[in-house]
Amino acid sequence: MKYFLLLVSLMTSIAASAQSGFKTIIDLKGLPDSVEITARVQDEKQDKWQFIKLKPVKGKATIEGQSRMTDPATMYIYTPKGTISTFVQNGVTEKISGKADDIKSLSYKQKGAPWSKDFMTLNALTGEIEADLQDAFSRYNSLTKEEKEHAIALQDRRESLKMNYYHSHPNSWITLSHMQYQMQDMPREEVSAIYDALKPPYKESSYATTIFRFLTTQQIKPGDNIADFDIVATDQNGKKVKLSDYKGKYLVVDFSQRFCGACVMANRDIPQIAEKYADKVLFINYSCDDSEKDWKESIKRDNITWPSIWNGSGITGQDCLRYCVNSFPHFFIFNPEGDLIREWSGYGPGLFESRFKELGITE
């Protein structure tokens, strides 16, 4: 009987914790009262977010909500002084304190949550670099060539420090969260070493599950055929299709998301490029949005008349894992036989024609 009562008590405690939601208390002296701050909270999946807006009073504000994730969920707090990164979890209260000017150098204090100490450790490593980078990017157009090269070197240094942190702190929610985006660019043995070092509760988390799936999934590489890395989806006309159905011309597959500025820029340029190379090239838009609504709104907003496909797999789904996609837009070019001949991430004006010229694709 006592074991039954203990079980009931435990279940009641867990339920109460979930119902209580999360709370993040902000106390940053000098944070303007008149300016709205926005908390962007990860909602269920990596590419879904909920937004909480509020105004601080005398530098103080309380962010409260209900997380739909079991694991700690990423939260970005956007303020006039910069961005604060942390997590939220139902039943957990965290306090972030200091001065508003501390945000720039990440030198504010965090306490009360299982991840607070980890953030303090990482922020101490990278805070000064972050402040220097903010200064550089705020006046990027006026930087000299040497100053721009210095900024790039600072970025590389920051990423190196983060990578060292991941290896020395595998059992950290920061490491697991960042790995969702970083692992595709890391040597496989390094990802495996971090995964193998995980202990409960980290190894049972959804983050660890994604890493495991990445490690056990074959990734595409140049020369691989599209038929072996096919994507089954629905097009904007409601028809079930496979990516390999479109081969026959040079195929440009565009992995994109709704909330991606460079994706919008690319979609504005694609119609003109597609028309110019219509005899030899076909563009396919593959939406990595978790939501069908977001996919359809992207089609409407960007006036996508070329084939667009979606299956709800999302950024942590099997398709993005197999294609090693962790940023957007991400492009893949297959030859008429369906073999991968080029891939890259990012977009700028003239990029398509530059890539076509490299590959000998003419109008």
Side-chain angles (χ1 to χ4, degrees):
M1 180 67 176
K2 69 176 183 179
Y3 295 110
F4 173 75
L5 293 175
L6 181 62
L7 178 61
V8 171
S9 175
L10 178 62
M11 293 175 66
T12 302
S13 175
I14 293 172
S17 174
Q19 291 173 0
S20 67
F22 62 81
K23 182 184 290 187
T24 303
I25 301 169
I26 306 294
D27 186 2
L28 294 166
K29 293 178 176 60
L31 198 62
D33 291 356
S34 58
V35 181
E36 188 175 68
I37 65 174
T38 301
R40 179 179 176 226
V41 185
Q42 187 180 350
D43 189 15
E44 293 185 283
K45 293 190 177 182
Q46 284 189 24
D47 52 353
K48 291 189 69 177
W49 301 85
Q50 55 175 305
F51 294 86
I52 302 170
K53 297 188 176 185
L54 64 163
K55 288 186 177 181
V57 177
K58 294 182 178 179
K60 298 181 180 181
T62 299
I63 302 167
E64 297 181 270
Q66 193 80 28
S67 175
R68 282 187 272 250
M69 288 185 62
T70 303
D71 300 320
T74 300
M75 177 168 71
Y76 300 109
I77 305 170
Y78 302 109
T79 81
K81 296 289 187 176
T83 301
I84 298 170
S85 299
T86 187
F87 295 109
V88 298
Q89 190 172 32
N90 291 334
V92 175
T93 297
E94 182 179 38
K95 184 174 182 179
I96 299 174
S97 61
K99 295 179 293 185
D101 289 340
D102 294 337
I103 298 174
K104 184 177 180 180
S105 59
L106 309 180
S107 53
Y108 45 81
K109 309 296 182 185
Q110 291 178 243
K111 67 177 183 178
W115 50 82
S116 297
K117 184 178 179 181
D118 287 341
F119 270 108
M120 297 271 295
T121 300
L122 181 59
N123 289 347
L125 291 172
T126 63
E128 289 187 13
I129 294 177
E130 292 286 359
D132 289 343
L133 283 171
Q134 281 193 45
D135 286 337
F137 288 127
S138 67
R139 52 189 180 86
Y140 190 79
N141 290 334
S142 63
L143 294 181
T144 64
K145 179 182 178 181
E146 291 74 18
E147 287 174 329
K148 289 181 179 179
E149 290 175 349
H150 178 63
I152 293 172
L154 284 177
Q155 284 184 299
D156 292 342
R157 174 61 178 158
R158 179 188 60 186
E159 295 310 306
S160 176
L161 288 170
K162 286 183 177 181
M163 201 62 64
N164 289 339
Y165 175 88
Y166 304 151
H167 286 289
S168 59
H169 298 78
N171 290 286
S172 160
W173 292 115
I174 297 175
T175 297
L176 287 183
S177 174
H178 288 195
M179 286 288 287
Q180 310 301 295
Y181 300 97
Q182 299 275 7
M183 60 188 177
Q184 290 92 335
D185 298 324
M186 294 171 60
R188 206 173 183 83
E189 59 271 17
E190 291 188 15
V191 179
S192 183
I194 291 174
Y195 178 81
D196 291 342
L198 295 178
K199 299 176 182 178
Y202 306 99
K203 199 152 194 171
E204 286 80 25
S205 69
S206 60
Y207 297 115
T209 298
T210 301
I211 296 172
F212 177 77
R213 285 171 48 221
F214 171 78
L215 289 170
T216 55
T217 297
Q218 182 181 1
Q219 274 85 41
I220 197 168
K221 60 184 183 301
D224 285 338
N225 193 272
I226 196 171
D228 297 321
F229 292 85
D230 225 344
I231 294 176
V232 178
T234 301
D235 70 11
Q236 65 260 61
N237 299 314
K239 180 182 176 182
K240 292 289 183 183
V241 295
K242 294 188 298 183
L243 197 56
S244 60
D245 292 340
Y246 297 98
K247 73 177 184 179
K249 296 182 178 182
Y250 286 97
L251 186 64
V252 181
V253 183
D254 164 21
F255 282 64
S256 68
Q257 278 193 314
R258 178 187 175 191
F259 301 104
C260 161
C263 299
V264 176
M265 187 189 305
N267 287 337
R268 289 173 182 165
D269 292 345
I270 285 174
Q272 181 181 354
I273 303 298
E275 182 178 359
K276 187 174 181 180
Y277 291 85
D279 291 339
K280 295 184 179 180
V281 177
L282 176 65
F283 283 84
I284 305 289
N285 169 259
Y286 172 54
S287 169
C288 298
D289 289 307
D290 177 68
S291 161
E292 182 177 8
K293 179 183 176 183
D294 286 338
W295 167 50
K296 290 186 174 179
E297 289 186 359
S298 292
I299 291 173
K300 182 178 179 181
R301 178 195 64 198
D302 299 340
N303 192 28
I304 298 177
T305 56
W306 56 99
S308 179
I309 62 176
W310 172 87
N311 60 13
S313 178
I315 189 173
T316 59
Q318 198 71 5
D319 295 327
C320 281
L321 288 178
R322 291 191 304 156
Y323 278 78
C324 282
V325 172
N326 63 350
S327 60
F328 302 96
H330 202 119
F331 300 96
F332 297 83
I333 300 181
F334 296 87
N335 66 19
E337 291 74 39
D339 299 322
L340 178 63
I341 55 175
R342 193 72 164 83
E343 66 98 6
W344 75 92
S345 182
Y347 182 73
L351 198 51
F352 288 128
E353 291 188 282
S354 174
R355 296 291 188 257
F356 293 166
K357 185 177 180 180
E358 291 172 7
L359 297 170
I361 303 172
T362 57
E363 299 175 40

